[in-house]
């Protein structure tokens, strides 16, 4: 028997749950793109996007997903043959490296594995060894969506400064913007990328690149910045269409406006705190389950190195896939696959899963998902420790 009838819950790490307010805002006919209210709406978006990133710098918007944001950043930072140092703490760091390499950029990867944060001493050593300053930029994820590892950006900036290296610092905040604390200017970030489908609670389709004035001057006009990808016209347009090098993504802009209004109403610091508390509730549940089964564990051992928007965990093969299937078909909760932990053809793939808790998520959604997971563990006779829901509830009670 299935108990999945009713409103399903998509608890994957993006696309995230879209608020009804955002859906209603998007549900309208196409507006005039040559004048009137749409132009006023867009004029108000750019200051708010800067505030979300914590910067006084520039922001360019593209019609695309997170991979488009990578390509936009790559195209404007580098010319062909210039060098990037990529710090990989999971699948998405490796994927950004692959994107850059495919564009003709020379890439050196420092791979810290799938469960460990970046080592600032290793980074400093590599930069010190680059006496000719061939490395133009260091690329890293703030939170890797696959591994859930969070990079300490201020510590990374300190390592770069200690090396006396002039490389730019570019950070992927696709999984963290609007979920995890991030302060672009205060932390010395030169370029930042994100997309709208996670913490910004809008359907996939908008990508963003923020960059400092120093980055703009340092990069100039690269030979990878084709008319579509060049960020210059998008931040200093002579005409409205140049914001997107063509027709504006009108429905998405209405949705984004509503989503940012929701963040402003709650307050960005409170949004960060909400994500921190709900993440802590999930971690408490996994700790309790794992106390009764060593095969159940968080992917990242130290909570200080975990992102607040996504939890990556292991249950042992094939139990993660069994649990995901049960939760979706029997209870209407969809959990994420364990991306990048093992090839999909490897039996080990079925031992990993991810739980997304980003954007439009609250206590009852989080506790409900955990209760469904516990029901699935019980129904499937997967060994687990007791008290998970009580432990999660205590975290929520303390945080509220």
């Amino acid at each position: 028997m299935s108990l999945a009838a009713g409103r399903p819950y998509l608890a994957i790490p993006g696309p995230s749950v879209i608020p009804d307010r955002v859906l209603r805002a998007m549900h309208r006919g196409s507006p005039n793109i040559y004048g009137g209210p749409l132009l006023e709406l867009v004029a108000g978006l750019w200051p708010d996007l800067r505030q979300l990133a914590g910067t006084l710098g520039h922001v360019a918007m593209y019609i695309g997903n997170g991979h488009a944001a990578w390509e936009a950043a790559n195209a404007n930072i580098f010319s062909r043959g210039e060098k990037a140092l990529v710090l990989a703490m999971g699948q998405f760091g490796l994927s950004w490296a692959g994107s850059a390499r495919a564009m003709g950029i020379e890439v050196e990867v420092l791979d810290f594995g799938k469960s460990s944060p970046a080592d600032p001493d290793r980074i400093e050593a590599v930069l010190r060894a680059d006496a000719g300053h061939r490395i133009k930029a260091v690329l890293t994820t703030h939170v890797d969506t696959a591994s859930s590892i969070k990079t300490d950006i201020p510590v990374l900036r300190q390592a770069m400064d200690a090396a006396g290296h002039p490389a730019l610092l570019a950070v992927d905040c696709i999984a963290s913007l609007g979920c995890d604390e991030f302060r672009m200017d205060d932390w010395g970030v030169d370029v930042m990328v994100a997309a709208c489908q996670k913490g910004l609670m809008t359907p996939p389709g908008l990508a963003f690149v923020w960059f400092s004035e120093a980055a703009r001057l340092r990069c100039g006009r690269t030979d990878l910045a084709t008319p579509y990808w060049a960020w210059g016209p998008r931040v200093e347009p002579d005409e409205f269409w140049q914001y997107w090098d063509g027709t504006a993504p009108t429905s998405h802009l209405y949705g984004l406006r509503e989503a940012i209004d929701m963040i402003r109403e709650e307050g960005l610091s409170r949004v960060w705190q909400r994500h921190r508390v709900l993440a802590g509730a999930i971690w408490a549940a996994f700790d309790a389950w794992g106390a009764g089964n060593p095969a159940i564990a968080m992917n990242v051992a130290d909570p200080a190195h975990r992102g607040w928007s996504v939890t990556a965990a292991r249950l042992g093969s094939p139990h993660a896939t069994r649990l995901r299937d049960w939760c979706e078909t029997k209870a209407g909760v969809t959990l994420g696959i364990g991306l990048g932990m093992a090839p999909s053809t490897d039996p080990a793939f079925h031992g990993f899963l991810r739980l997304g808790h980003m954007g439009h998520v609250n206590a009852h959604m989080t506790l409900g998902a955990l209760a469904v997971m516990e029901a699935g563990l019980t129904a499937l006779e997967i060994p687990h420790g007791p008290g998970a829901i009580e432990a999660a509830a205590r975290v929520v009670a303390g945080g509220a």
Side-chain angles (χ1 to χ4, degrees):
M1 174 182 171
S2 173
L3 300 176
R7 188 166 188 171
Y9 177 29
L10 190 67
I12 66 174
S16 65
V17 174
I18 305 169
D20 290 340
R21 282 178 57 176
V22 172
L23 292 172
R24 287 194 297 268
M26 297 179 71
H27 190 70
R28 65 180 73 196
S30 297
N32 180 7
I33 60 172
Y34 302 107
L38 181 66
L39 276 65
E40 298 171 7
L41 180 149
V42 167
L45 277 175
W46 262 243
D48 290 341
L49 288 169
R50 292 188 185 94
Q51 185 177 31
L52 281 173
T55 184
L56 299 175
H58 307 286
V59 57
M61 187 186 296
Y62 297 82
I63 301 173
N65 53 21
H67 289 71
W70 287 343
E71 188 152 335
N74 295 342
N76 286 281
I77 295 172
F78 301 100
S79 289
R80 289 174 179 84
E82 291 186 324
K83 186 173 181 180
L85 176 64
V86 179
L87 314 180
M89 282 71 67
Q91 182 61 48
F92 285 89
L94 296 173
S95 295
W96 195 0
S99 169
R101 192 177 289 115
M103 295 174 70
I105 300 164
E106 182 183 344
V107 176
E108 179 179 351
V109 176
L110 275 182
D111 190 346
F112 296 95
K114 302 171 183 177
S115 301
S116 300
D119 180 349
D121 292 335
R122 281 183 62 191
I123 298 164
E124 181 181 340
V126 169
L127 293 174
R128 285 186 182 276
D130 181 34
H133 295 165
R134 291 199 60 240
I135 296 170
K136 188 172 184 181
V138 175
L139 314 182
T140 189
T141 51
H142 183 216
V143 173
D144 190 293
T145 322
S147 67
S148 75
I149 294 171
K150 177 162 61 179
T151 300
D152 191 328
I153 301 300
V155 168
L156 171 56
R157 180 76 260 179
Q158 289 169 13
M160 295 174 65
D161 292 345
H165 199 288
L168 299 169
L169 175 56
V171 182
D172 168 346
C173 292
I174 294 169
S176 61
L177 181 64
C179 306
D180 232 295
E181 182 177 0
F182 193 86
R183 302 180 186 276
M184 180 175 168
D185 289 354
D186 290 348
W187 293 355
V189 175
D190 299 290
V191 179
M192 170 184 164
V193 302
C196 69
Q197 71 269 22
K198 298 182 186 287
L200 298 190
M201 306 176 287
T202 306
L206 297 177
F208 313 96
V209 180
W210 292 259
F211 56 99
S212 66
E213 178 64 10
R216 185 186 70 84
L217 294 173
R218 172 85 185 278
C219 296
R221 175 75 183 201
T222 69
D223 64 14
L224 288 170
T226 58
Y228 186 81
W229 293 116
W231 61 25
R234 292 173 183 262
V235 299
E236 295 177 337
D238 294 321
E239 298 181 10
F240 184 73
W241 65 271
Q242 290 177 300
Y243 279 118
W244 300 276
D245 196 41
T247 303
T250 55
S251 295
H252 276 76
L253 292 172
Y254 286 120
L256 180 65
R257 176 70 273 167
E258 194 70 24
I260 291 177
D261 285 347
M262 292 176 68
I263 292 172
R264 292 182 64 184
E265 290 165 12
E266 184 176 357
L268 184 56
S269 62
R270 292 187 179 90
V271 171
W272 293 338
Q273 176 71 355
R274 170 167 53 85
H275 282 84
R276 187 191 67 78
V277 171
L278 296 179
I282 292 166
W283 303 344
F286 271 98
D287 286 345
W289 289 329
N293 180 359
I296 299 178
M298 304 287 297
N299 181 55
V300 183
D302 186 347
H305 300 305
R306 298 174 189 160
W308 297 345
S309 59
V310 53
T311 293
R314 58 177 171 83
L315 274 73
S317 181
H319 296 312
T321 294
R322 292 179 66 219
L323 180 62
R324 288 194 305 103
D325 290 345
W326 190 94
C327 289
E328 184 168 11
T329 61
K330 299 297 186 181
V333 174
T334 301
L335 305 175
I337 64 171
L339 189 63
M341 295 300 173
S344 59
T345 54
D346 185 337
F349 172 84
H350 300 287
F352 302 93
L353 57 73
R354 291 174 299 158
L355 177 59
H357 36 95
M358 51 178 60
H360 191 55
V361 62
N362 59 25
H364 87 76
M365 295 162 77
T366 300
L367 292 173
L370 292 172
V372 164
M373 292 174 70
E374 175 140 318
L377 292 169
T378 302
L380 297 171
E381 299 183 344
I382 299 171
H384 59 282
I389 307 307
E390 292 85 351
R394 283 194 296 271
V395 173
V396 168

